[in-house]
Amino acid sequence: MGSQKNTTSTTSSPRKTSPRTLHDLFEQEKPLFPIPSSPTTSANEELLSAVHYCTFVFTFTDPTESPAQRDSKRHQLSRLMTMLKSFKKPMHERSQVLGPLVAMISANLFRPLPPPLNPASCISDLLDEEDPISTFSPSWSHLQLVYEILLRLVSCADPKTLREHIDHSFLLNLLTLFQSEDPRERESLKNVYHKMYSKFISDRSMMRKSMTDVLLNYVFETEKHPGIADLLEIWGTIINGFTVPLKEEHKLFLMRVLIPLHKTKGMQVYHKQLAYCVSQFVQKEPMLGGVIVRGILKYWPVTNCQKEILLIGMLEDLVENLDPDQYRKLALPICTQITKCINSWNSQVAERALYVWNNEQFFKMASTGTVEVFPIIIEGMEKNLKWHWSKSVRQLTESVKVMLKDMDPDLYAKVVMDMQTKESVAHKQDVERKKKWERIELAAAKSQFLNPQLGVGIGQAVRRGLWPSLPQAQARPDQIGK
């Protein structure tokens, strides 16, 4: 009877069950802690079990996701990394594991990137900051371990075997991730992509072309990409490995990609990496220095003072690596631009341009074209001493003037005398021009007095371009009063 009563009590009031979600099923199927390996479990089975566990991807934005499950996945990723390090057999001998492992990596890495916090702004608008505002991914605790696993896999596995699972689509998806605004992810991605470039020799041409397409799209289309500096850092190591003489493909990359990168608004974000790439070309073939210098002068900014300061420094570095045979050809264009910067009303630009004269190689280059270059430089110096508003700029100008004067006193005196003559002639022409306009105004007043119905004076007609159409203004302005 007692057993019958108990049975009746348990079955009479069944418990209501709520519908299960995908997240509940995931929690039921996956343990919260690392799965202990039994003695009968093979290493491959244990590895596959961890790989299958880590294939599930958390968004880190869904409030229904369990923090405990996120921590459990992070532990499994760490355990997976430990197993990869502890394996004595090379990874290419575990071909049955490579496919699922690459699939797990793809599932975690290749995801839609979040939009920028402020879509209206971009790196190219940050004219006063070298470092753009960074956005940190909430899923980095998982992504960091996935990148470490991928780097370990690429470093240890046989390239031919690994290449069966990592195709061109995988490499292109990796390249797309350089648009991530998280600098930590771009740093890890840079290491992985460079390691793949060094391992996959047959794919190097394709990888270079893909990176070139990204740079060209940035320069000529969007000017919005947070990973340009990282890509140029990879390019710096690639260029460093180019053999001499350089191939035509590499020279075209310099002229069509690297040089136009100097014209973008956001150049200050990646100018260090760009300067390194350019200097590598000059060191390998010094004759390319002339092409680079003329390209920089072509894209010289008009109103961006911060870029001017950076480009002055790049010109100074280039002059140090130039072939001395090119000094005479490049002295005039370089010194002309530096003189324009010396006369800049921005004191930082003017001071940076004046400090260039402390560079021994720059002074040596300017000395090769003394007759052509010095008149331009001296004229710029004298203008600064007369008109520049900054006291510090005038003091630096005076120091450079003393240096140039000591170098060739006769030439300096001759140039100053020629300047005074030009100024005197210009002053006389200005006086004559004013007198002619006074005569025009007088004639206009008389014409209006004699014919009030004319409605428009000759002076006003001249200013409006109506002078030839007036019946009483047949004489040219330079003939009035003669």
Side-chain angles (χ1 to χ4, degrees), residues 35 55 124 145 157 184 206 224 260 278 320 333 346 367 389 397 412 416 419 444:
I35 305 172
T55 304
S124 61
L145 293 168
R184 302 169 300 181
M206 171 265 173
K224 297 180 182 180
V278 168
E320 293 182 354
N346 184 285
S367 303
W389 62 272
T397 304
Y412 198 99
V416 171
M419 283 180 56

Side-chain angles (χ1 to χ4, degrees), residues 127-128 264-266 268 301-309 349:
L127 299 179
D128 298 326
T264 65
K265 295 179 181 178
Q268 46 267 57
V302 178
T303 58
N304 192 333
C305 298
Q306 296 299 322
K307 274 189 67 175
E308 284 194 275
I309 294 173
V349 174

Side-chain angles (χ1 to χ4, degrees), residues 259-415:
I259 292 178
L261 277 169
H262 291 83
K263 75 174 185 176
T264 65
K265 295 179 181 178
M267 193 205 74
Q268 46 267 57
V269 177
Y270 55 80
H271 77 277
K272 294 179 181 177
Q273 293 83 358
L274 180 59
Y276 178 79
C277 291
V278 168
S279 66
Q280 289 294 306
F281 273 101
V282 179
Q283 290 177 14
K284 290 184 178 296
E285 287 195 12
M287 295 302 294
L288 292 174
V291 177
I292 298 171
V293 167
R294 292 186 176 90
I296 292 177
L297 295 178
K298 175 183 177 181
Y299 295 119
W300 200 271
V302 178
T303 58
N304 192 333
C305 298
Q306 296 299 322
K307 274 189 67 175
E308 284 194 275
I309 294 173
L310 295 177
L311 292 179
I312 291 171
M314 292 182 72
L315 279 182
E316 185 177 0
D317 294 337
L318 284 171
V319 169
E320 293 182 354
N321 295 318
L322 281 178
D323 189 342
D325 295 337
Q326 294 184 298
Y327 280 175
R328 182 170 293 277
K329 295 179 181 179
L330 298 176
L332 183 59
I334 291 178
C335 291
T336 300
Q337 185 61 59
I338 293 296
T339 303
K340 291 180 181 178
C341 295
I342 288 173
N343 295 140
S344 172
W345 289 110
N346 184 285
S347 60
Q348 293 180 340
V349 174
E351 289 177 9
R352 182 65 184 88
L354 286 165
Y355 279 123
V356 169
W357 287 99
N358 292 330
N359 189 298
E360 182 179 353
Q361 291 298 117
F362 184 87
F363 188 82
K364 182 179 179 181
M365 180 199 65
S367 303
T368 59
T370 305
V371 178
E372 297 176 345
V373 173
F374 266 38
I376 298 173
I377 299 172
I378 294 170
E379 185 175 351
M381 299 292 175
E382 294 296 328
K383 285 183 179 179
N384 263 17
L385 294 174
K386 288 183 179 180
W387 308 111
H388 207 284
W389 62 272
S390 173
K391 182 179 179 180
S392 61
V393 171
R394 292 197 302 270
Q395 290 175 346
L396 288 172
T397 304
E398 186 66 37
S399 301
V400 177
K401 174 184 175 180
V402 171
M403 180 176 60
L404 295 175
K405 202 170 184 179
D406 292 342
M407 183 178 176
D408 196 335
D410 296 335
L411 180 59
Y412 198 99
K414 181 180 180 300
V415 172

Side-chain angles (χ1 to χ4, degrees), residues 44 47-48 51 84 87 91 94-102:
N44 285 350
L47 183 64
L48 287 172
V51 167
L84 291 176
F87 283 160
M91 280 302 301
R94 302 176 182 271
S95 56
Q96 69 273 24
V97 177
L98 284 179
L101 187 59
V102 172

Side-chain angles (χ1 to χ4, degrees), residues 424-441:
S424 177
V425 171
H427 179 69
K428 289 180 180 179
Q429 291 176 349
D430 188 49
V431 171
E432 287 294 327
R433 190 179 301 108
K434 289 181 180 179
K435 288 181 179 180
K436 289 179 182 179
W437 277 109
E438 289 175 359
R439 292 195 293 268
I440 290 173
E441 293 291 345

Side-chain angles (χ1 to χ4, degrees), residues 64-268:
T64 63
E65 291 178 352
S66 169
Q69 279 293 322
R70 295 173 185 168
D71 291 340
S72 180
K73 180 180 177 180
R74 183 171 55 83
H75 289 313
Q76 286 294 324
L77 287 170
S78 299
R79 178 168 170 263
L80 185 56
M81 184 65 187
T82 303
M83 285 190 289
L84 291 176
K85 290 181 178 179
S86 62
F87 283 160
K88 296 181 180 179
K89 278 187 176 183
M91 280 302 301
H92 63 269
E93 296 184 11
R94 302 176 182 271
S95 56
Q96 69 273 24
V97 177
L98 284 179
L101 187 59
V102 172
M104 183 275 293
I105 293 171
S106 301
N108 282 271
L109 295 184
F110 304 149
R111 73 229 184 256
L113 295 175
L117 293 179
N118 185 7
S121 66
C122 62
I123 291 179
S124 61
D125 297 328
L126 302 176
L127 299 179
D128 298 326
E129 298 182 8
E130 288 192 359
D131 297 325
I133 299 174
S134 300
T135 303
F136 296 100
S137 173
S139 58
W140 177 243
S141 59
H142 290 179
L143 292 176
Q144 181 182 13
L145 293 168
V146 175
Y147 276 113
E148 290 178 1
I149 291 171
L150 178 57
L151 183 61
R152 177 73 182 178
L153 183 63
V154 175
S155 302
C156 298
D158 177 60
K160 293 182 179 179
T161 306
L162 187 60
R163 190 63 188 81
E164 298 175 1
H165 304 279
I166 295 181
D167 54 6
H168 284 182
S169 177
F170 188 97
L171 295 174
L172 291 175
N173 287 332
L174 271 184
L175 194 61
T176 304
L177 293 176
F178 276 102
Q179 297 184 56
S180 171
E181 293 190 346
D182 192 332
R184 302 169 300 181
E185 180 171 10
R186 296 199 305 270
E187 181 67 24
S188 298
L189 184 61
K190 177 180 61 181
N191 296 332
V192 169
Y193 201 81
H194 184 263
K195 178 62 71 173
M196 287 183 170
Y197 184 86
S198 62
K199 285 279 188 175
F200 301 153
I201 299 177
S202 61
D203 294 320
R204 288 181 179 179
S205 177
M206 171 265 173
M207 296 175 75
R208 288 198 303 268
K209 184 181 182 304
S210 301
M211 288 190 289
T212 299
D213 292 341
V214 173
L215 296 177
L216 287 174
N217 183 68
Y218 169 78
V219 173
F220 297 104
E221 296 291 339
T222 64
E223 288 199 11
K224 297 180 182 180
H225 198 296
I228 297 300
D230 304 284
L231 289 174
L232 287 176
E233 192 166 340
I234 297 175
W235 267 110
T237 58
I238 294 175
I239 296 170
N240 190 29
F242 286 165
T243 57
V244 180
L246 294 173
K247 296 180 181 179
E248 191 65 23
E249 169 198 350
H250 305 327
K251 294 180 182 179
L252 288 175
F253 173 75
L254 169 66
M255 292 183 284
R256 295 179 180 178
V257 181
L258 290 185
I259 292 178
L261 277 169
H262 291 83
K263 75 174 185 176
T264 65
K265 295 179 181 178
M267 193 205 74
Q268 46 267 57

